Amino acid sequence: MVEHRMVDVNGIRLHIAEQGTGPLVVLLHGFPESWHSWHRQFGPLADAGFRVVAPDQRGYGRSDHPDAVDAYTILHLVGDVVGLIRALGEEQAYVVGHDWGAPVAWHTALLRPDMVRAVAGLSVPPPFRGAQPPLAAMDEMYGGRFYWNYFERPGVADAEFAQDTRTTLRKFFHWGSGDAPHAGEGRQPLVDADRGWLVDMEDPEVLPAWFTEDDLDALTESFSRGFTGPLNWYRNIDRNWELTAAWHGARVTRPALYIYGDRDVVPAFPGTPELIGQLPGLMPNLWRKPLKLAGCGHWTQQERPDEVNTALIEFLEAHS
């Protein structure tokens, strides 16, 4: 059974879910999600002989929500993972992340390779620091309409999303899924700041089979404190670029696995398809070529749990 508790980590308290015994596997969720996005991974990974732990990351769910925007930098987030591994009595862990959790996992492996047995990322590929700040680059490319730039505006997306949390999450999960109309057509997530993002998102009458009303209930409850903490992650994107200058050109050297859906909007971001194609040459310890899941949208481990679980278990066992 999955058990829940609070852990003191890196100056804050994190809520964690855990199951199983054996080598530690830390599962890091993305936006707008919670530990619950991994609930289909707990049983299979625990049965395979691993100790599975998924936190609500800082700003999410029952974990602490620091007020300061700059309390959500990539160094804070990596620090939380490092502190969590230590707090759980371990020296090393396998680190797996989806969406925003993937950059946290990749950067944990990049900054603290001594603590990472192996690393896997879902949806978001490994980081290769660009020549200019990302928010500024997207602002220039799309005239401020890229969703990162919309999220950057203090209080704006926060208010829009909090008007009806359940509807917001229902729309997001449908919009980003492989079941949505036009998924996988190379569209970019552009927002008219005057109208907001949700107004043009379809509100499905029926949820996809992999995302139940119970899943939506759990997710809605986890956002009872609003969206500001999670949105603050985006407000640090350029600050993260500045903070990681010392690692410009550095590559993740730990054993690595990358999984993505062919109908996911993120791998279609500008420059990302080219990066994914080059990963086998760029990543010295990429375990296999990137695993592309047919018909899968953004919510990788929820839309394709069996395929993701099989790939993760094979990867973890190969690096035990």
Short mmCIF file of all heavy atoms in Angstrom, two decimals, residues 245-288:
data_model
loop_
_atom_site.label_atom_id
_atom_site.label_comp_id
_atom_site.label_asym_id
_atom_site.label_seq_id
_atom_site.Cartn_x
_atom_site.Cartn_y
_atom_site.Cartn_z
N ALA A 245 25.04 29.06 -15.59
CA ALA A 245 26.09 29.46 -16.53
C ALA A 245 27.35 28.62 -16.38
O ALA A 245 28.05 28.32 -17.36
CB ALA A 245 26.42 30.94 -16.35
N ALA A 246 27.66 28.21 -15.15
CA ALA A 246 28.89 27.43 -14.92
C ALA A 246 28.82 26.05 -15.56
O ALA A 246 29.86 25.40 -15.75
CB ALA A 246 29.14 27.29 -13.42
N TRP A 247 27.61 25.60 -15.91
CA TRP A 247 27.46 24.27 -16.52
C TRP A 247 27.17 24.37 -18.02
O TRP A 247 26.75 23.39 -18.63
CB TRP A 247 26.34 23.51 -15.82
CG TRP A 247 26.71 23.12 -14.43
CD1 TRP A 247 27.36 21.99 -14.03
CD2 TRP A 247 26.48 23.88 -13.24
NE1 TRP A 247 27.55 21.99 -12.67
CE2 TRP A 247 27.01 23.13 -12.15
CE3 TRP A 247 25.85 25.11 -12.97
CZ2 TRP A 247 26.94 23.59 -10.84
CZ3 TRP A 247 25.79 25.57 -11.67
CH2 TRP A 247 26.34 24.81 -10.62
N HIS A 248 27.40 25.54 -18.61
CA HIS A 248 27.17 25.68 -20.04
C HIS A 248 28.05 24.69 -20.80
O HIS A 248 29.26 24.62 -20.60
CB HIS A 248 27.49 27.11 -20.50
CG HIS A 248 27.07 27.37 -21.92
ND1 HIS A 248 25.81 27.80 -22.25
CD2 HIS A 248 27.74 27.25 -23.10
CE1 HIS A 248 25.72 27.94 -23.56
NE2 HIS A 248 26.88 27.61 -24.09
N GLY A 249 27.44 23.90 -21.66
CA GLY A 249 28.17 22.89 -22.41
C GLY A 249 28.33 21.56 -21.70
O GLY A 249 28.80 20.59 -22.31
N ALA A 250 27.96 21.50 -20.43
CA ALA A 250 28.07 20.24 -19.69
C ALA A 250 26.97 19.28 -20.14
O ALA A 250 25.89 19.71 -20.56
CB ALA A 250 27.96 20.49 -18.19
N ARG A 251 27.25 17.99 -20.02
CA ARG A 251 26.30 16.97 -20.43
C ARG A 251 26.04 16.01 -19.28
O ARG A 251 26.93 15.75 -18.47
CB ARG A 251 26.82 16.20 -21.65
CG ARG A 251 27.08 17.09 -22.85
CD ARG A 251 27.63 16.31 -24.03
NE ARG A 251 27.91 17.20 -25.15
CZ ARG A 251 28.35 16.79 -26.34
NH1 ARG A 251 28.59 15.50 -26.55
NH2 ARG A 251 28.56 17.66 -27.31
N VAL A 252 24.84 15.48 -19.24
CA VAL A 252 24.51 14.46 -18.25
C VAL A 252 25.29 13.20 -18.60
O VAL A 252 25.17 12.67 -19.72
CB VAL A 252 22.99 14.17 -18.25
CG1 VAL A 252 22.67 12.99 -17.34
CG2 VAL A 252 22.21 15.41 -17.82
N THR A 253 26.07 12.71 -17.66
CA THR A 253 26.93 11.56 -17.91
C THR A 253 26.43 10.28 -17.25
O THR A 253 26.96 9.20 -17.53
CB THR A 253 28.36 11.83 -17.43
OG1 THR A 253 28.33 12.15 -16.03
CG2 THR A 253 28.98 12.99 -18.20
N ARG A 254 25.43 10.38 -16.37
CA ARG A 254 24.89 9.18 -15.73
C ARG A 254 24.04 8.40 -16.75
O ARG A 254 23.56 8.96 -17.74
CB ARG A 254 24.02 9.55 -14.53
CG ARG A 254 24.74 10.35 -13.45
CD ARG A 254 25.98 9.61 -12.96
NE ARG A 254 25.64 8.35 -12.32
CZ ARG A 254 26.41 7.26 -12.34
NH1 ARG A 254 27.56 7.25 -13.00
NH2 ARG A 254 26.02 6.17 -11.72
N PRO A 255 23.86 7.09 -16.55
CA PRO A 255 22.98 6.33 -17.44
C PRO A 255 21.61 7.00 -17.54
O PRO A 255 21.03 7.41 -16.53
CB PRO A 255 22.88 4.96 -16.74
CG PRO A 255 24.16 4.85 -15.96
CD PRO A 255 24.46 6.25 -15.50
N ALA A 256 21.11 7.13 -18.76
CA ALA A 256 19.93 7.97 -18.98
C ALA A 256 18.94 7.29 -19.92
O ALA A 256 19.31 6.53 -20.82
CB ALA A 256 20.35 9.32 -19.55
N LEU A 257 17.66 7.60 -19.70
CA LEU A 257 16.56 7.13 -20.54
C LEU A 257 15.64 8.30 -20.82
O LEU A 257 15.31 9.07 -19.92
CB LEU A 257 15.79 6.01 -19.82
CG LEU A 257 14.50 5.51 -20.49
CD1 LEU A 257 14.81 4.78 -21.79
CD2 LEU A 257 13.72 4.60 -19.52
N TYR A 258 15.22 8.43 -22.09
CA TYR A 258 14.27 9.49 -22.45
C TYR A 258 13.08 8.87 -23.16
O TYR A 258 13.25 8.08 -24.11
CB TYR A 258 14.94 10.54 -23.34
CG TYR A 258 13.98 11.58 -23.88
CD1 TYR A 258 13.20 12.33 -23.01
CD2 TYR A 258 13.84 11.80 -25.24
CE1 TYR A 258 12.31 13.27 -23.48
CE2 TYR A 258 12.96 12.75 -25.73
CZ TYR A 258 12.19 13.48 -24.86
OH TYR A 258 11.30 14.41 -25.33
N ILE A 259 11.87 9.20 -22.69
CA ILE A 259 10.62 8.68 -23.24
C ILE A 259 9.70 9.85 -23.57
O ILE A 259 9.56 10.79 -22.78
CB ILE A 259 9.91 7.77 -22.21
CG1 ILE A 259 10.84 6.64 -21.73
CG2 ILE A 259 8.62 7.19 -22.80
CD1 ILE A 259 10.23 5.81 -20.59
N TYR A 260 9.05 9.79 -24.73
CA TYR A 260 8.11 10.86 -25.08
C TYR A 260 7.02 10.32 -26.01
O TYR A 260 7.16 9.27 -26.63
CB TYR A 260 8.82 12.04 -25.74
CG TYR A 260 9.37 11.76 -27.13
CD1 TYR A 260 8.75 12.28 -28.26
CD2 TYR A 260 10.52 11.00 -27.32
CE1 TYR A 260 9.26 12.05 -29.54
CE2 TYR A 260 11.04 10.78 -28.58
CZ TYR A 260 10.40 11.29 -29.69
OH TYR A 260 10.90 11.06 -30.95
N GLY A 261 5.91 11.06 -26.06
CA GLY A 261 4.80 10.69 -26.93
C GLY A 261 4.87 11.41 -28.26
O GLY A 261 5.28 12.57 -28.32
N ASP A 262 4.42 10.74 -29.31
CA ASP A 262 4.48 11.37 -30.63
C ASP A 262 3.38 12.40 -30.84
O ASP A 262 3.38 13.12 -31.84
CB ASP A 262 4.46 10.32 -31.74
CG ASP A 262 3.14 9.57 -31.85
OD1 ASP A 262 2.26 9.74 -30.97
OD2 ASP A 262 2.98 8.79 -32.83
N ARG A 263 2.45 12.51 -29.88
CA ARG A 263 1.40 13.53 -29.94
C ARG A 263 1.53 14.55 -28.80
O ARG A 263 0.61 15.28 -28.49
CB ARG A 263 0.02 12.87 -29.92
CG ARG A 263 -0.26 12.04 -31.18
CD ARG A 263 -1.54 11.22 -31.06
NE ARG A 263 -2.73 12.05 -31.07
CZ ARG A 263 -3.34 12.53 -32.14
NH1 ARG A 263 -2.83 12.29 -33.35
NH2 ARG A 263 -4.44 13.24 -32.05
N ASP A 264 2.70 14.59 -28.18
CA ASP A 264 3.00 15.53 -27.09
C ASP A 264 3.43 16.86 -27.68
O ASP A 264 4.27 16.92 -28.59
CB ASP A 264 4.11 14.94 -26.22
CG ASP A 264 4.42 15.76 -24.97
OD1 ASP A 264 3.92 16.90 -24.84
OD2 ASP A 264 5.18 15.26 -24.12
N VAL A 265 2.89 17.96 -27.14
CA VAL A 265 3.23 19.29 -27.64
C VAL A 265 4.66 19.68 -27.29
O VAL A 265 5.31 20.41 -28.06
CB VAL A 265 2.23 20.34 -27.10
CG1 VAL A 265 2.32 20.48 -25.59
CG2 VAL A 265 2.40 21.69 -27.78
N VAL A 266 5.20 19.21 -26.16
CA VAL A 266 6.52 19.67 -25.71
C VAL A 266 7.64 19.27 -26.67
O VAL A 266 8.48 20.11 -27.01
CB VAL A 266 6.81 19.17 -24.27
CG1 VAL A 266 8.26 19.47 -23.88
CG2 VAL A 266 5.85 19.83 -23.29
N PRO A 267 7.69 18.03 -27.16
CA PRO A 267 8.76 17.69 -28.10
C PRO A 267 8.67 18.41 -29.44
O PRO A 267 9.58 18.28 -30.26
CB PRO A 267 8.58 16.16 -28.28
CG PRO A 267 7.91 15.71 -27.04
CD PRO A 267 6.98 16.82 -26.70
N ALA A 268 7.59 19.17 -29.64
CA ALA A 268 7.46 19.97 -30.85
C ALA A 268 7.87 21.43 -30.64
O ALA A 268 7.79 22.24 -31.56
CB ALA A 268 6.02 19.93 -31.36
N PHE A 269 8.31 21.78 -29.42
CA PHE A 269 8.79 23.14 -29.17
C PHE A 269 9.93 23.47 -30.15
O PHE A 269 10.64 22.56 -30.62
CB PHE A 269 9.31 23.28 -27.74
CG PHE A 269 8.25 23.39 -26.68
CD1 PHE A 269 6.90 23.32 -26.98
CD2 PHE A 269 8.61 23.54 -25.34
CE1 PHE A 269 5.93 23.41 -26.00
CE2 PHE A 269 7.65 23.62 -24.35
CZ PHE A 269 6.31 23.57 -24.68
N PRO A 270 10.13 24.76 -30.43
CA PRO A 270 11.19 25.14 -31.38
C PRO A 270 12.55 24.55 -31.01
O PRO A 270 13.02 24.70 -29.88
CB PRO A 270 11.20 26.67 -31.27
CG PRO A 270 9.81 27.04 -30.87
CD PRO A 270 9.37 25.93 -29.95
N GLY A 271 13.17 23.87 -31.95
CA GLY A 271 14.49 23.29 -31.75
C GLY A 271 14.50 21.93 -31.08
O GLY A 271 15.52 21.23 -31.11
N THR A 272 13.37 21.53 -30.47
CA THR A 272 13.36 20.28 -29.72
C THR A 272 13.38 19.04 -30.61
O THR A 272 14.09 18.07 -30.29
CB THR A 272 12.15 20.25 -28.76
OG1 THR A 272 12.18 21.43 -27.94
CG2 THR A 272 12.20 19.02 -27.85
N PRO A 273 12.65 18.99 -31.72
CA PRO A 273 12.75 17.80 -32.57
C PRO A 273 14.18 17.54 -33.03
O PRO A 273 14.63 16.38 -33.06
CB PRO A 273 11.83 18.13 -33.76
CG PRO A 273 10.84 19.10 -33.21
CD PRO A 273 11.62 19.93 -32.24
N GLU A 274 14.91 18.61 -33.35
CA GLU A 274 16.30 18.44 -33.77
C GLU A 274 17.15 17.92 -32.62
O GLU A 274 18.01 17.04 -32.81
CB GLU A 274 16.85 19.77 -34.28
CG GLU A 274 16.20 20.29 -35.57
CD GLU A 274 14.84 20.94 -35.35
OE1 GLU A 274 14.45 21.17 -34.18
OE2 GLU A 274 14.14 21.21 -36.35
N LEU A 275 16.92 18.44 -31.41
CA LEU A 275 17.67 17.99 -30.24
C LEU A 275 17.43 16.51 -29.98
O LEU A 275 18.38 15.75 -29.73
CB LEU A 275 17.27 18.81 -29.01
CG LEU A 275 17.84 18.31 -27.66
CD1 LEU A 275 19.36 18.32 -27.66
CD2 LEU A 275 17.29 19.14 -26.50
N ILE A 276 16.17 16.08 -30.04
CA ILE A 276 15.85 14.68 -29.79
C ILE A 276 16.57 13.77 -30.78
O ILE A 276 17.11 12.72 -30.42
CB ILE A 276 14.32 14.46 -29.83
CG1 ILE A 276 13.65 15.19 -28.66
CG2 ILE A 276 13.99 12.97 -29.79
CD1 ILE A 276 12.13 15.19 -28.72
N GLY A 277 16.61 14.20 -32.04
CA GLY A 277 17.30 13.41 -33.05
C GLY A 277 18.80 13.29 -32.81
O GLY A 277 19.42 12.31 -33.21
N GLN A 278 19.36 14.28 -32.13
CA GLN A 278 20.80 14.30 -31.89
C GLN A 278 21.20 13.66 -30.56
O GLN A 278 22.39 13.45 -30.30
CB GLN A 278 21.31 15.75 -31.91
CG GLN A 278 21.16 16.44 -33.24
CD GLN A 278 21.39 17.95 -33.15
OE1 GLN A 278 21.81 18.46 -32.12
NE2 GLN A 278 21.09 18.65 -34.23
N LEU A 279 20.22 13.33 -29.71
CA LEU A 279 20.54 12.84 -28.36
C LEU A 279 21.48 11.64 -28.34
O LEU A 279 22.38 11.60 -27.50
CB LEU A 279 19.25 12.53 -27.59
CG LEU A 279 18.48 13.71 -27.02
CD1 LEU A 279 17.24 13.23 -26.28
CD2 LEU A 279 19.35 14.54 -26.09
N PRO A 280 21.28 10.64 -29.20
CA PRO A 280 22.21 9.49 -29.12
C PRO A 280 23.67 9.88 -29.29
O PRO A 280 24.55 9.24 -28.70
CB PRO A 280 21.73 8.58 -30.26
CG PRO A 280 20.27 8.89 -30.39
CD PRO A 280 20.19 10.39 -30.15
N GLY A 281 23.95 10.94 -30.05
CA GLY A 281 25.32 11.40 -30.21
C GLY A 281 25.77 12.35 -29.13
O GLY A 281 26.97 12.48 -28.87
N LEU A 282 24.81 13.00 -28.47
CA LEU A 282 25.13 14.00 -27.45
C LEU A 282 25.25 13.41 -26.05
O LEU A 282 25.96 13.94 -25.20
CB LEU A 282 24.05 15.09 -27.43
CG LEU A 282 23.95 15.99 -28.65
CD1 LEU A 282 22.71 16.88 -28.54
CD2 LEU A 282 25.20 16.85 -28.81
N MET A 283 24.53 12.31 -25.81
CA MET A 283 24.46 11.72 -24.47
C MET A 283 25.32 10.46 -24.43
O MET A 283 24.95 9.43 -25.00
CB MET A 283 23.01 11.37 -24.13
CG MET A 283 22.07 12.56 -24.11
SD MET A 283 22.15 13.48 -22.58
CE MET A 283 21.36 12.33 -21.47
N PRO A 284 26.46 10.51 -23.76
CA PRO A 284 27.38 9.37 -23.79
C PRO A 284 26.82 8.10 -23.17
O PRO A 284 27.23 7.00 -23.55
CB PRO A 284 28.58 9.88 -22.99
CG PRO A 284 28.06 10.99 -22.14
CD PRO A 284 26.98 11.63 -22.97
N ASN A 285 25.88 8.23 -22.24
CA ASN A 285 25.33 7.05 -21.57
C ASN A 285 23.82 6.93 -21.74
O ASN A 285 23.14 6.41 -20.86
CB ASN A 285 25.71 7.06 -20.08
CG ASN A 285 27.17 6.69 -19.87
OD1 ASN A 285 27.66 5.72 -20.43
ND2 ASN A 285 27.85 7.49 -19.06
N LEU A 286 23.31 7.43 -22.88
CA LEU A 286 21.90 7.22 -23.19
C LEU A 286 21.71 5.72 -23.40
O LEU A 286 22.36 5.10 -24.25
CB LEU A 286 21.51 8.00 -24.44
CG LEU A 286 20.01 8.10 -24.73
CD1 LEU A 286 19.32 8.96 -23.66
CD2 LEU A 286 19.77 8.71 -26.11
N TRP A 287 20.81 5.11 -22.60
CA TRP A 287 20.69 3.66 -22.55
C TRP A 287 20.22 3.08 -23.88
O TRP A 287 20.65 2.02 -24.31
CB TRP A 287 19.74 3.29 -21.42
CG TRP A 287 19.58 1.81 -21.23
CD1 TRP A 287 20.57 0.89 -21.00
CD2 TRP A 287 18.36 1.08 -21.23
NE1 TRP A 287 20.03 -0.37 -20.85
CE2 TRP A 287 18.66 -0.28 -20.98
CE3 TRP A 287 17.01 1.44 -21.38
CZ2 TRP A 287 17.69 -1.27 -20.91
CZ3 TRP A 287 16.05 0.46 -21.30
CH2 TRP A 287 16.39 -0.88 -21.07
N ARG A 288 19.32 3.76 -24.53
CA ARG A 288 18.79 3.34 -25.82
C ARG A 288 18.38 4.60 -26.55
O ARG A 288 18.36 5.69 -25.97
CB ARG A 288 17.58 2.42 -25.64
CG ARG A 288 16.47 3.04 -24.78
CD ARG A 288 15.30 2.11 -24.56
NE ARG A 288 14.58 1.88 -25.80
CZ ARG A 288 13.54 1.03 -25.90
NH1 ARG A 288 13.15 0.34 -24.85
NH2 ARG A 288 12.90 0.87 -27.03
#
